[in-house]
């Protein structure tokens, strides 16, 4: 693994769109070449080196490239955009669209992330030690194709609209979530280890949701079908099993409708 | 604007039977000239093809349903919106591009004129605002008539003269170009949740059939002597087995004679014929009937068609065929917009993914190309994608590639997951025809210009015509063996001179040009009954006042008005 370190030395006046902070783009480049990569600040194109001190050359391939951003990225968007391999560590907070459209590799954020983390993700791993804002693993605005694969783990809390239009992959929120989980989802798994306020599984066609805390307000489109024991993220527990969203269309397999599942841990 | 001399190119101009002769094209101001002075700007076109600017007979590029598409599909812009070029405007979108991208992309392909194919009359101000906002290209718009209450009532009583007076009034009020029919009667039936799938299905309440509407509007059109024939999106679009209805509709043109002063000799333009050439009775046994449909078109000389080729892209469907869009959203479960336009029409919008690995999509793709290859008269068969319904207009160069190269077709066909099933349901695999540049110029320039009654201005390079001249990076004498080069050349013109102004240089936009809006002012003798009917309907039925209805002149600030004196 070749390590490239980016050290922020100047706070952008606007937010920076750093589509190029990705092992795929860095691969095969020297630190000087990396510093010359384009980033966008508003409507102008600037250089990565205008805001970051770049140290170390990248590996030959994305797989062999490790990026460490040592400093706060609260105003840096699109870190790890579309990456397919390698790794990125952010030693602080990151702004919107971290790991968006990601296909492989790993991203670890030691602080918090803003909204749209892992948007339309297809593979790889995102680990956030702090909290996430809204739209974790959701679909792009208007799109009906959300997260398709990979894993997002938020160690803290997450906001609203988690896994909207999700088709596959796993999202784990280790603390609480606000509202709208797996809205319109047609696959994938969302695990909330704390409480959720409500609107869980609205218009959900297929997929699984686990809530290990409480759902404050259940949606009327979910029906209790029994109790079940399930293994979730390394632990086994008893859950109340609901199916839904009964107001949505569902595929039929061998004449039987396939519903989405909501498992709420039994008290 | 001044003088330009395009030297030594291979000129292709079907209007004068010129096929690849090396010649110079002179431009003086906004017209092609016999010759220019020694001070003219010289463009070296040696080893390159020179054609007239393209003419698009049918695309949905301006107005409320296009805008609904833009609003409901932000994802259409994602990663497909290049940053602004210096001194030009930002471009955004793919299947429903912004107005600026629309103008720029047409110009890059060397297109000079584009017909907006369906203008809801009530919303014509919006259509004209967008047309005005679309740079470079000249445009017109076709108001929709085939579900309009006035028209249905007049035609039910066979009152062609009244129908003509009303159409003339509406063309002037909306600054429209001609008569568009969309799912005749079917869209009106949609207000009752119904449709008209055959020519004899009666429209509820109005008690008239699609056949009567089509024939009546055809007579109305020739009574007025409009530059364009009626322009019809037929009933039963997009359903397996619809080719019978298609042929029934085309047969209505038999015995009809074109009457006009615009050298137009056709009486019906049947649009996006691909969507109407379907066999089978379900999607399971869906198959091509391109040969059956094109055999008829070939022998029936007073009709024109455009292809409506499926391009295998993710796109946005939008049409005044309200019931069809409802049918589509039930098929693909994607988002749906639906609207009623009082007294006049309706519309729907649904995204659609023409996936090359879905058998039906592959068959649709093949049908569009089969039609283009079976056509015996390229002057009556035009290249379109019914933008954006079967694919975005930026794919015209790709369609040209497929029509010109069997290798390119075979390569695409072989890449399908169900290629052998597609081959079984179509004839494309067996067709060896390859279109040449002359035929392409007929299908994209001379032909559509003639069908629109604009052959005196567009589609050719004769002195006196509009100075719309494109130079493509293609060597007529040494055509590339790689079909991709054909697509590339038609995608980005080396030079495009629009009305005497250099608007594209090396594939990039060089000027915002001087776009115009074409509309038709047919002066008929005063018809007190129709005037009374109009006043009455606006008082009784419309929610807008008559005075607020017509398009203000300020919304079409660069008009090109075609005046017709119907009394004469
Ligand atoms: Zn159309």
């Amino acid at each position: 693994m070749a390590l490239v370190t980016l050290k922020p030395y100047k706070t952008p006046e606007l937010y920076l769109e750093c589509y190029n902070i990705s092992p795929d783009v860095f691969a095969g480049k020297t630190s000087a070449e990396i510093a010359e990569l384009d980033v966008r600040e508003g409507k102008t194109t600037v250089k990565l080196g205008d805001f970051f001190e770049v140290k170390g050359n990248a590996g030959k391939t994305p797989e062999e490239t490790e990026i460490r951003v040592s400093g706060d990225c609260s105003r840096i968007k699109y870190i790890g955009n579309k990456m397919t391999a390698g790794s990125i560590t952010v030693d602080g907070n990151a702004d919107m669209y971290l790991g968006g459209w990601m296909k492989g590799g790993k991203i670890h954020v030691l602080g918090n992330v803003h909204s749209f983390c892992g948007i339309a993700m297809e593979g790889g791993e995102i680990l956030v030690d702090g909290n996430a804002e809204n739209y974790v693993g959701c679909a792009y605005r208007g799109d009906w194709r959300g997260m398709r694969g990979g894993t997002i783990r938020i160690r803290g809390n997450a906001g609203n609209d988690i896994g909207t239009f999700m088709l596959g992959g796993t999202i784990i929120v280790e603390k609480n979530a606000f509202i709208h989980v797996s809205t319109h989802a047609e696959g994938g798994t969302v695990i909330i280890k704390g409480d959720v306020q409500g609107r869980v599984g609205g218009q959900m066609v297929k997929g699984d949701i686990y809530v290990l805390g409480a759902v404050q307000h259940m949606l009327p489109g979910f029906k209790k079908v029994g109790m079940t024991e399930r293994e979730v993220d390394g632990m086994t527990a008893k859950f109340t099993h609901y199916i839904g969203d009964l107001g949505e269309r569902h595929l039929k397999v061998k004449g039987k409708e396939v519903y989405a599942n909501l498992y709420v841990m039994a008290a | 604007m001044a003088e330009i001399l395009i030297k030594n190119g291979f000129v292709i101009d079907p209007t004068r039977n010129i096929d690849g002769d090396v010649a110079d094209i002179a431009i003086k101001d906004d017209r092609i000239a016999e010759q220019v002075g020694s001070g003219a700007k010289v463009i070296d076109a040696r080893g390159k093809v020179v054609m007239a600017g393209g003419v698009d007979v049918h695309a949905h590029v301006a107005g409320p349903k296009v805008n609904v598409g833009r609003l409901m599909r932000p994802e259409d812009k994602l990663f497909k919106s290049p940053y602004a070029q210096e001194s030009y405007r930002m471009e955004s979108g793919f299947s429903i591009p912004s107005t600026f991208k629309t103008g720029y992309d047409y110009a890059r392909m060397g297109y000079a004129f584009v017909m907006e194919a369906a203008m809801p009359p009530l919303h014509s101000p919006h259509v004209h605002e967008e047309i005005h906002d679309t740079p470079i290209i000249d445009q017109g718009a076709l108001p929709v008539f085939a579900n309009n209450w006035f028209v249905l009532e007049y035609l039910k009583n066979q009152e062609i003269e009244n129908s003509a007076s009303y159409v003339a009034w509406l063309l002037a009020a909306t600054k429209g170009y001609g008569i568009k029919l969309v799912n005749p009667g079917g869209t009106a039936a949609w207000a009752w949740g119904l449709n008209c799938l055959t020519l004899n299905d009666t429209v509820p309440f109005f008690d008239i059939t699609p056949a009567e509407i089509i024939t009546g509007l055809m007579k109305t059109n020739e009574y007025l002597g409009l530059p364009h024939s009626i322009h019809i999106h037929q009933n039963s679009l997009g359903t397996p087995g619809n080719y019978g209805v298609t042929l029934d509709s085309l047969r209505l043109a038999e015995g009809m004679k074109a009457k006009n002063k615009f050298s137009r000799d056709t009486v019906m333009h049947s649009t996006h014929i691909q969507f109407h050439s379907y066999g089978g009775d379900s999607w399971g046994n869906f198959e091509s009937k391109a040969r059956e449909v094109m055999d008829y078109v070939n022998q029936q000389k007073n009709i024109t068609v455009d292809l409506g080729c499926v391009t295998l892209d993710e796109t946005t469907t939008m049409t005044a065929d309200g019931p069809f869009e409802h049918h589509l959203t039930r098929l693909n479960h994607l988002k749906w917009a639906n609207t009623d336009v009082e007294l006049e029409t309706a519309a729907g919008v649904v995204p659609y993914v023409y996936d090359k690995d879905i058998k039906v999509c592959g068959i649709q793709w093949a049908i569009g190309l089969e039609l283009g290859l079976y056509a015996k008269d390229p002057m009556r068969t035009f290249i379109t994608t019914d933008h954006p319904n079967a694919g975005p207009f930026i794919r015209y160069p790709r369609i040209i590639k497929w029509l010109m190269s069997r290798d390119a077709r075979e390569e695409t066909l072989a890449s399908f997951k169900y290629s052998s099933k597609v081959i079984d349901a179509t004839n494309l695999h067996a067709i060896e025809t390859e279109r040449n540049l002359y035929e392409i110029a007929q299908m994209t320039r001379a032909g559509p210009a003639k069908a629109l009654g604009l052959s005196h201005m567009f589609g050719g390079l004769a002195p006196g015509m509009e100075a719309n001249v494109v130079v493509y990076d293609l060597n007529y004498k040494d055509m590339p063996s790689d079909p991709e080069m054909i697509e590339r050349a038609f995608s980005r013109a080396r030079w495009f001179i629009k009305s005497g102004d250099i608007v594209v240089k090396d594939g990039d936009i060089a000027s915002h040009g001087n776009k115009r809006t074409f509309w038709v002012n047919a002066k008929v003798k005063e018809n007190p009954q129709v005037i009374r009917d109009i006043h009455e309907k606006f008082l009784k039925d419309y929610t807008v006042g008559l005075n607020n209805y017509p398009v203000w002149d300020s919304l079409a600030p660069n008009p090109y008005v075609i005046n017709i004196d119907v009394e004469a």
Side-chain angles (χ1 to χ4, degrees):
Chain A
M1 274 300 221
L3 178 69
V4 179
T5 312
L6 304 178
K7 198 171 174 346
Y9 66 85
K10 190 172 130 193
T11 308
E13 193 183 341
L14 302 174
Y15 287 78
L16 271 195
E17 294 178 5
C18 292
Y19 299 93
N20 280 334
I21 300 184
S22 153
D24 293 69
V25 181
F26 283 15
K29 292 188 172 68
T30 64
S31 58
E33 287 166 338
I34 291 166
E36 281 300 302
L37 288 170
D38 284 347
V39 298
R40 294 284 293 193
E41 186 183 21
K43 64 173 194 157
T44 56
T45 303
V46 290
K47 302 287 172 213
L48 197 57
D50 295 343
F51 293 90
F52 294 93
E53 187 188 308
V54 183
K55 272 190 191 151
N57 301 330
K60 266 206 215 91
T61 62
E63 286 81 0
E64 297 161 284
T65 301
E66 184 184 342
I67 300 170
R68 193 167 186 102
V69 191
S70 47
D72 183 59
C73 291
S74 295
R75 296 172 82 83
I76 310 295
K77 295 183 199 290
Y78 293 102
I79 293 172
N81 188 56
K82 295 183 180 175
M83 72 186 268
T84 63
S87 73
I88 300 176
T89 308
V90 180
D91 282 348
N93 303 328
D95 195 43
M96 291 186 187
Y97 298 99
L98 176 113
W101 300 272
M102 178 174 178
K103 292 189 171 68
K106 283 184 186 181
I107 302 180
H108 183 187
V109 178
L110 277 60
N112 304 320
V113 290
H114 210 296
S115 296
F116 302 104
C117 159
I119 180 173
M121 179 175 179
E122 289 179 34
E125 282 174 50
I126 296 175
L127 172 62
V128 176
D129 289 348
N131 302 320
E133 293 270 341
N134 308 320
Y135 301 102
V136 172
C138 69
Y140 184 71
R141 284 273 191 253
D143 210 322
W144 57 92
R145 293 153 295 198
M147 179 170 174
R148 266 181 266 193
T151 305
I152 304 174
R153 184 183 289 273
I154 310 292
R155 293 217 192 273
N157 301 310
N160 50 251
D161 295 275
I162 297 157
T164 307
F165 282 106
M166 191 171 187
L167 299 170
T170 307
I171 299 172
I172 304 153
V173 177
E174 297 197 350
K175 289 185 179 158
N176 304 322
F178 180 38
I179 51 168
H180 289 297
V181 180
S182 297
T183 310
H184 287 290
E186 294 201 28
T189 304
V190 175
I191 301 161
I192 313 280
K193 295 200 168 175
D195 303 334
V196 195
Q197 279 209 12
R199 302 182 208 174
V200 178
Q203 294 199 270
M204 196 174 178
V205 177
K206 215 180 136 201
D208 299 314
I209 303 174
Y210 294 88
V211 179
L212 277 60
V215 178
Q216 244 179 59
H217 306 282
M218 280 291 290
L219 281 177
F222 278 77
K223 180 172 97 177
K224 186 171 158 183
V225 289
M227 305 294 290
T228 175
E229 198 174 86
R230 312 280 301 184
E231 202 205 304
V232 181
D233 196 28
M235 59 167 281
T236 304
K238 270 197 116 172
F239 291 90
T240 311
H241 182 194
Y242 299 83
I243 56 167
D245 181 335
L246 302 177
E248 195 38 78
R249 78 194 150 84
H250 296 280
L251 277 181
K252 273 191 179 165
V253 177
K254 288 176 189 151
K256 264 188 82 180
E257 284 193 291
V258 180
Y259 294 95
N261 300 302
L262 167 59
Y263 303 98
V264 182
M265 194 153 94
Chain B
M1 275 187 270
E3 295 188 335
I4 302 172
L5 187 63
I6 300 161
K7 283 190 77 132
N8 293 322
F10 296 113
V11 175
I12 296 171
D13 179 5
T15 66
R16 294 182 295 157
N17 304 312
I18 298 173
D19 186 8
D21 301 356
V22 173
D24 298 346
I25 300 292
I27 293 170
K28 191 170 188 326
D29 297 332
D30 57 354
R31 298 297 169 102
I32 310 277
E34 293 283 358
Q35 57 190 45
V36 283
S38 56
K41 177 186 168 66
V42 172
I43 288 175
D44 180 13
R46 189 179 299 274
K48 296 179 172 53
V49 159
V50 177
M51 288 188 190
V55 176
D56 192 346
V57 76
H58 186 113
H60 302 272
V61 283
K65 71 189 174 322
V66 181
N67 222 29
V68 165
R70 293 187 189 113
L71 285 167
M72 78 189 261
R73 294 208 61 203
E75 76 279 9
D76 187 66
K77 301 176 181 70
L78 180 66
F79 303 128
K80 289 166 188 159
S81 304
Y83 295 126
Q85 288 177 47
E86 187 119 4
S87 74
Y88 292 97
R89 295 283 291 265
M90 195 211 157
E91 301 170 61
S92 78
F94 173 71
S95 66
I96 22 176
S98 60
T99 52
F100 283 91
K101 191 167 200 297
T102 301
Y104 293 165
D105 279 343
Y106 268 114
R108 290 184 185 110
M109 302 191 309
Y111 270 68
F113 187 95
V114 177
M115 184 61 79
E116 160 54 48
M119 170 158 73
L122 184 61
H123 299 305
S124 50
H126 179 179
V127 175
H128 283 287
E129 286 186 296
E130 281 200 27
I131 285 179
H132 175 46
D133 225 29
T134 306
I136 306 174
I137 49 174
D138 290 334
Q139 281 174 285
L142 299 173
V144 292
F145 284 101
N147 297 284
N148 177 302
W149 293 9
F150 291 88
V151 171
L152 298 182
E153 284 168 7
Y154 291 138
L155 293 183
K156 178 182 172 180
N157 301 322
Q158 319 247 355
E159 296 166 9
I160 299 301
E161 203 178 321
N162 289 341
S163 165
S165 293
Y166 172 72
V167 167
W169 174 81
L170 192 116
L171 288 179
T174 63
K175 299 191 194 302
Y177 190 87
I179 299 178
K180 174 72 184 295
L181 296 79
V182 177
N183 188 1
T187 298
W190 180 231
W192 281 266
L194 303 169
N195 198 354
C196 294
L197 290 171
T198 79
L199 292 191
N200 301 314
D201 288 7
T202 309
V203 185
F205 183 76
F206 292 100
D207 196 27
I208 185 173
T209 65
E212 290 165 333
I213 299 169
I214 298 167
T215 303
L217 282 172
M218 207 161 9
K219 287 180 181 165
T220 302
N221 198 90
E222 301 316 315
Y223 178 96
L224 290 170
L226 301 178
H228 189 24
S229 64
I230 61 159
H231 187 122
I232 177 173
H233 156 144
Q234 298 198 12
N235 299 73
S236 200
L237 173 143
T239 29
N242 64 6
Y243 81 107
V245 174
T246 304
L247 292 172
D248 288 345
S249 311
L250 296 177
R251 281 190 197 106
L252 296 174
E254 288 176 11
M256 287 281 193
K257 289 223 159 36
K259 262 179 63 189
N260 62 91
K261 294 173 180 161
F262 300 91
S263 323
R264 164 176 64 80
D265 40 29
T266 50
V267 295
M268 181 194 281
H269 177 75
S270 185
T271 188
H272 40 68
I273 195 81
Q274 177 274 129
F275 284 126
H276 305 274
S277 304
Y278 294 172
D281 56 22
S282 73
W283 294 115
N285 61 12
F286 177 57
E287 61 175 356
S288 171
K289 289 289 176 189
R291 181 189 279 283
E292 286 77 355
V293 170
M294 214 54 198
D295 279 352
Y296 182 80
V297 173
N298 285 337
Q299 50 107 358
Q300 186 61 29
K301 310 259 186 245
N302 66 351
I303 53 180
T304 51
V305 298
D306 67 81
L307 300 176
C309 283
V310 163
T311 63
L312 305 171
D313 285 291
E314 176 182 322
T315 192
T316 312
T317 66
M318 50 182 62
T319 165
D321 194 339
F324 174 74
E325 292 291 353
H326 178 250
H327 167 75
L328 204 58
T329 188
R330 288 300 182 93
L331 273 178
N332 73 0
H333 305 300
L334 298 183
K335 50 197 169 181
W336 170 50
N338 176 59
T339 189
D340 175 60
V341 181
E342 56 189 42
L343 284 77
E344 297 178 347
T345 182
V349 183
V350 175
Y352 203 81
V353 183
Y354 290 98
D355 184 336
K356 73 177 180 65
D357 291 330
I358 291 173
K359 188 186 81 172
V360 168
C361 300
I363 296 170
Q364 290 176 303
W365 168 81
I367 292 172
L369 297 177
E370 286 177 0
L371 290 158
L373 294 164
Y374 282 141
K376 290 225 169 82
D377 187 358
M379 281 298 285
R380 294 193 291 115
T381 310
F382 318 136
I383 293 174
T384 65
T385 58
D386 187 20
H387 166 89
N389 286 300
F393 69 81
I394 51 164
R395 295 297 190 227
Y396 293 173
R398 188 163 292 175
I399 296 163
I400 292 172
K401 171 186 77 179
W402 281 322
L403 292 175
M404 290 187 75
S405 163
R406 184 166 190 233
D407 285 352
R409 298 197 291 269
E410 287 299 303
E411 193 186 323
T412 303
L413 192 50
S415 74
F416 295 169
K417 186 170 173 190
Y418 298 106
S419 60
S420 61
K421 286 189 172 166
V422 172
I423 288 170
D424 288 347
T426 61
N427 305 306
L428 188 69
H429 184 56
I431 301 178
E432 286 176 11
T433 309
E434 294 189 326
R435 292 291 182 193
N436 59 37
L437 288 169
Y438 188 85
E439 292 165 332
I440 295 297
Q442 290 177 303
M443 297 169 95
T444 54
R445 289 147 161 82
K450 186 161 189 228
L452 291 170
L454 291 171
S455 57
H456 58 297
M457 298 176 74
F458 293 89
L461 296 167
M465 293 178 78
E466 288 285 308
N468 297 321
V469 190
V470 207
V471 179
Y472 291 119
D473 261 325
L474 277 174
N475 189 327
Y476 180 85
K477 287 271 149 71
D478 184 19
M479 284 293 280
S481 54
D482 179 4
E484 297 310 311
M485 301 293 285
I486 297 174
E487 181 177 340
R488 212 167 302 158
F490 279 106
S491 298
R492 307 211 110 189
R494 176 55 74 95
W495 295 90
F496 179 35
I497 294 124
K498 160 75 183 40
S499 304
D501 197 7
I502 297 174
V503 292
V504 172
K505 194 183 164 209
D506 295 330
D508 288 326
I509 300 302
S511 160
H512 271 159
N514 34 46
K515 83 114 14 74
R516 292 168 298 180
T517 306
F518 282 56
W519 63 275
V520 172
N521 190 18
K523 289 176 212 120
V524 291
K525 84 169 174 278
E526 206 175 271
N527 184 327
Q529 191 200 324
V530 171
I531 293 171
R532 201 176 51 238
D533 290 346
I534 291 169
H535 277 89
E536 196 173 289
K537 273 226 177 357
F538 271 90
L539 279 174
K540 227 179 88 191
D541 297 322
Y542 270 106
T543 58
V544 296
L546 179 54
N547 293 337
N548 294 327
Y549 187 79
V551 175
W552 301 331
D553 288 344
S554 60
L555 295 183
N558 305 300
Y560 184 95
V561 186
I562 298 173
N563 289 298
I564 305 171
D565 215 339
V566 180
E567 281 170 307

